[in-house]
Amino acid sequence: MRLYRATDYNDMSRKAANILSAQVILKPNSVLGLATGSTPLGIYRQLVEWYKKGDIDFSEVTTVNLDEYAGLPKDKTQSYHYYMKHNFWDHVNISPEKTYIPDGTADDAKAECLAYDRLIAGIGGIDMQLLGIGNNGHIGFNEPGTSFNTDTHLVKLTETTIEINRRFFDREEDMPRSAFTMGIRSIMQSKRILLVASGAQKAEILNNAFLGPVTPSVPASVLQLHNDVTLVGDAEALSLI
Ligand code: F6R
């Protein structure tokens, strides 16, 4: 694992954006696996800024997102589809037909998951997967206890995740209880992984994930078994590493 220590959130965002843009410059038709959540917002902001200055070109890039809430139409402001459009896709020259994210409203969840895995395989797999980490060690929505052998699947969200993510919903009952997520195997098949973390609330779980035992109770610990992982964290997040 490569570890980059950033001073603060902005520095973390810039360092991670540099790694993603290096990937795109070296391989213009890269397949980028993307994440949502609070942590990558600064990365997307930075990439958009560089794109506007003419420093990076996304015209040949394909993106596949990690996850999407089940039951949430894509035009709802809390959907991850909306997040991606609003924070990234709409501001760069990426072709809309090359941006993929599970369809949260799919009636046949199994068929949707299978189609997503086939799609990823069909475009040649993910060159670089961007990941955040949940306070409970989840990656994507692979919650503690998820088998390392999972492909894209529908998950029931844990109470911890519901508690943390409900801040984005007006009413508690609007918060979806399940989500589509790439599985641990889908993530591990990416050629390169870039995990970003910021803030003191991530310190303990990063320590458990990267220096503790590899166990499904800490899903991110599986990354110790991947041969190309880069961790970019700010000083608070890396305070125990
Ligand atoms: C988002 C995702 C989640 C988040 C994680 C951390 O697509 O898959 O695993 O990366 O919950 O979220 P933040 O960045 O909000 O702390």
Side-chain angles (χ1 to χ4, degrees):
M1 179 187 72
R2 274 177 298 270
L3 171 64
Y4 292 100
R5 288 181 187 274
T7 47
D8 55 16
Y9 180 76
N10 285 338
D11 188 31
M12 179 213 74
S13 303
R14 209 170 34 246
K15 282 185 163 59
N18 262 307
I19 294 169
L20 281 162
S21 36
Q23 170 70 39
V24 173
I25 288 164
L26 292 171
K27 186 178 180 209
N29 64 347
S30 286
V31 176
L32 301 180
L34 297 181
T36 59
S38 309
T39 318
L41 284 171
I43 301 176
Y44 296 135
R45 258 198 306 271
Q46 182 67 81
L47 290 174
V48 168
E49 193 185 312
W50 285 336
Y51 163 72
K52 288 192 170 149
K53 279 165 77 185
D55 289 342
I56 179 163
D57 173 23
F58 293 96
S59 59
E60 292 179 53
V61 166
T62 300
T63 65
V64 277
N65 263 79
L66 274 172
D67 41 19
E68 177 61 286
Y69 286 119
L72 217 52
K74 56 187 186 185
D75 56 339
K76 286 273 178 204
T77 54
Q78 299 92 346
S79 77
Y80 286 172
H81 186 274
Y82 184 93
Y83 169 113
M84 288 309 302
K85 267 178 77 63
H86 185 71
N87 292 302
F88 187 49
W89 297 335
D90 281 356
H91 309 288
V92 295
N93 64 338
I94 194 159
S95 320
E97 66 277 9
K98 286 197 206 146
T99 58
Y100 299 101
I101 185 160
D103 175 4
T105 61
D107 288 332
D108 186 341
K110 266 206 163 133
E112 175 65 14
C113 295
L114 198 65
Y116 206 64
D117 285 326
R118 287 203 175 131
L119 166 96
I120 295 171
I123 53 180
I126 296 167
D127 290 302
M128 180 172 278
Q129 175 66 55
L130 175 64
L131 293 177
I133 182 170
N135 292 4
N136 62 3
H138 74 209
I139 46 175
F141 272 127
N142 295 287
E143 301 284 15
T146 307
S147 152
F148 288 166
N149 289 325
T150 43
D151 296 314
T152 300
H153 61 294
L154 184 67
V155 284
K156 220 171 135 332
L157 303 179
T158 60
E159 282 310 314
T160 323
T161 299
I162 292 170
E163 187 64 24
I164 291 174
N165 286 11
R166 61 148 301 195
R167 67 188 190 277
F168 300 109
F169 295 83
D170 293 337
R171 297 175 311 165
E172 154 105 54
E173 58 269 36
D174 294 337
M175 165 82 206
R177 275 11 197 197
S178 51
F180 289 96
T181 182
M182 277 186 206
I184 304 254
R185 183 172 29 217
S186 332
I187 293 171
M188 288 295 280
Q189 280 170 347
S190 311
K191 293 172 193 108
R192 304 179 69 197
I193 289 179
L194 172 61
L195 189 138
V196 289
S198 166
Q201 75 283 6
K202 298 288 167 74
E204 196 175 329
I205 194 64
L206 281 180
N207 188 43
N208 293 344
F210 289 99
L211 299 174
V214 175
T215 161
S217 336
V218 182
S221 67
V222 74
L223 300 175
Q224 293 182 39
L225 306 177
H226 194 284
N227 64 7
D228 195 332
V229 174
T230 302
L231 167 60
V232 183
D234 64 13
E236 286 186 348
L238 296 178
S239 61
L240 299 177
I241 294 192

